[in-house]
Amino acid sequence: MIHELETADGLDERQFMLAVRRLADSLMFGTDSSPYKGSGVDYVETRPYQPGDPIKQMDWKVTARTGRHHVKDYEAPKHLPVYLLVDTSASMCVRSGGLSKYGWAVQLAGGLALAALARISPVGVLGCGTRDFHTQPSLSRERVFVWLHQLRRFRFDEGTELGSAARKLAALLAERCLIVALTDFHDPDGPAALRMLAQRHDCIALQLQDPAERGGLRAGIIRAQEAETGRGFVAAGGRGWGDGEWVADEMRKGGIDHLLLRTDEPFVPRLRFFLQSRGGFGRGAR
C-alpha cells in the first residue's frame, strides 16, 4: 500500500514560493564572486592591450598616463551548470518535530536553484529515490517552480538510491558541473558514488539530520530495521545512530565539501558562510 501525502511542508503554494525566495535571497547575499575575467558587468583590472581586444574596453586614462594602450577587464558571469541530487527516499520524510529533512531538502533545492540562476548557471535536478525524477539543466525560473511543486509530494515507502543516481549522473554528464547532494546518507553506497563524481566535478554534500538520529528519544534500548535498506540496528534512546562523522570522513577522502544540517537548529547562516568560504557556486571552475 502506498501512503502518499499532499506536501512535505504543510504550506500552501504562495507560502511555499515565498519561503523558497526568502531562502534564495539569504543564500545569495555575498556568496558568489566570479573567478572569470571578460566582458561582463563589474570592473576587475586594467591590462595591456592585445590584438583583438574591443576598442570599447579601452582604458583611456591609463593609456594616456603610460603612453601604451590598456584595456579594462570586467567580471564575466559564470555558466557552470548545477545539478541538485535530491534524496526523495522514505527516511527523509520521517520527522521528530518541526520540518522534516525532506521538507528542508526541497526548500533548499529551490533556494540553491534560484541563487544559481541569478549567476546565470543552468540548474537540473535528479531524484535519489526509487521514483523516476530527472530534469535537465535549464535557466528557466518557471521550470524550477514546476519541479519544486512536484518534489513536494512524498511517499513513506520509497527506497534510497543515492549511489545509483550519482553513478547514473556521472555517465550522463559531458561537461564539468557543480553537484549538490541533499541527503541523509542512508544509502551505504552514496559516499563512494559521490567520491567518484568528485573526480571530474565540483561536489558539495549537504547532509540533513533529524534530532532522533543523534539520540535523545528517552526510549531505552531500541532494536529496529532501516526501512529502505533492510539493515538491522540497535540503539539507545539517549544515543544517536546517525552517520555524521563517518560521512564527513568519507567526504574529506574524496575532497568533497560537506556540511551537516540539523533540522532542529538554525542552519541557514551556517550554510551561507559555508558557501562564502568555498567561493560560492563556482569554485570548481577556477
Side-chain angles (χ1 to χ4, degrees):
M1 178 178 180
I2 295 177
H3 302 282
E4 184 169 346
L5 301 183
E6 183 65 19
T7 62
D9 47 51
L11 304 175
D12 61 32
E13 183 174 339
R14 178 179 174 277
Q15 291 171 329
F16 174 75
M17 293 178 71
L18 287 174
V20 169
R21 287 179 173 135
R22 282 196 299 266
L23 185 55
D25 290 341
S26 180
L27 295 178
M28 282 189 291
F29 183 74
T31 60
D32 206 4
S33 58
S34 175
Y36 293 115
K37 300 172 184 176
S39 180
V41 177
D42 297 327
Y43 171 76
V44 175
E45 66 179 6
T46 294
R47 60 169 175 79
Y49 172 84
Q50 297 178 359
D53 286 335
I55 299 299
K56 66 180 180 179
Q57 289 182 217
M58 193 72 70
D59 190 329
W60 295 110
K61 291 184 179 180
V62 175
T63 297
R65 186 172 67 249
T66 63
R68 296 182 179 180
H69 291 96
H70 284 72
V71 294
K72 293 181 178 180
D73 263 340
Y74 295 86
E75 182 180 280
K78 294 180 300 205
H79 300 277
L80 185 70
V82 176
Y83 247 107
L84 303 170
L85 294 179
V86 181
D87 192 338
T88 60
S89 60
S91 66
M92 292 285 289
C93 306
V94 178
R95 65 183 181 182
S96 57
L99 196 61
S100 68
K101 292 178 290 183
Y102 187 66
W104 272 118
V106 174
Q107 289 194 23
L108 283 169
L112 291 168
L114 295 183
L117 292 184
R119 297 296 296 177
I120 321 180
S121 293
V123 180
V125 62
L126 181 65
C128 299
T130 51
R131 79 175 95 167
D132 184 16
F133 194 97
H134 183 198
T135 300
Q136 295 287 343
S138 168
L139 287 170
S140 169
R141 288 172 60 93
E142 290 75 15
R143 183 173 294 183
V144 167
F145 280 106
V146 168
W147 58 252
L148 276 175
H149 285 300
Q150 293 173 347
L151 277 178
R152 292 176 72 196
R153 299 177 181 275
F154 68 92
R155 287 172 19 187
F156 280 125
D157 66 341
E158 186 167 357
T160 181
E161 294 191 358
L162 173 62
S164 60
R167 297 178 194 280
K168 171 185 175 182
L169 186 60
L172 293 175
L173 296 179
E175 60 179 327
R176 186 173 178 84
C177 294
L178 170 62
I179 312 296
V180 183
L182 297 152
T183 177
D184 57 8
F185 282 102
H186 280 225
D187 182 355
D189 185 42
L194 286 181
R195 290 202 309 270
M196 180 196 67
L197 264 177
Q199 294 177 12
R200 293 186 54 207
H201 305 278
D202 186 17
C203 290
I204 296 175
L206 301 180
Q207 181 184 2
L208 293 109
Q209 186 183 75
D210 188 86
E213 292 178 297
R214 61 180 188 274
L217 294 182
R218 300 178 182 177
I221 301 298
I222 301 171
R223 184 183 299 275
Q225 185 179 65
E226 216 286 328
E228 300 163 9
T229 65
R231 291 179 300 164
F233 63 89
V234 176
R239 186 180 72 245
W241 56 85
D243 293 326
E245 288 301 319
W246 173 75
V247 170
D249 289 341
E250 291 295 304
M251 296 299 97
R252 279 192 291 269
K253 293 177 185 176
I256 299 172
D257 290 329
H258 168 265
L259 183 64
L260 179 64
L261 305 177
R262 293 174 172 171
T263 60
D264 61 331
E265 299 177 358
F267 58 71
V268 174
R270 290 180 53 240
L271 178 55
R272 183 171 60 244
F273 178 78
F274 171 81
L275 293 174
Q276 289 174 337
S277 66
R278 73 182 309 277
F281 291 108
R283 190 187 69 168
R286 295 184 184 178

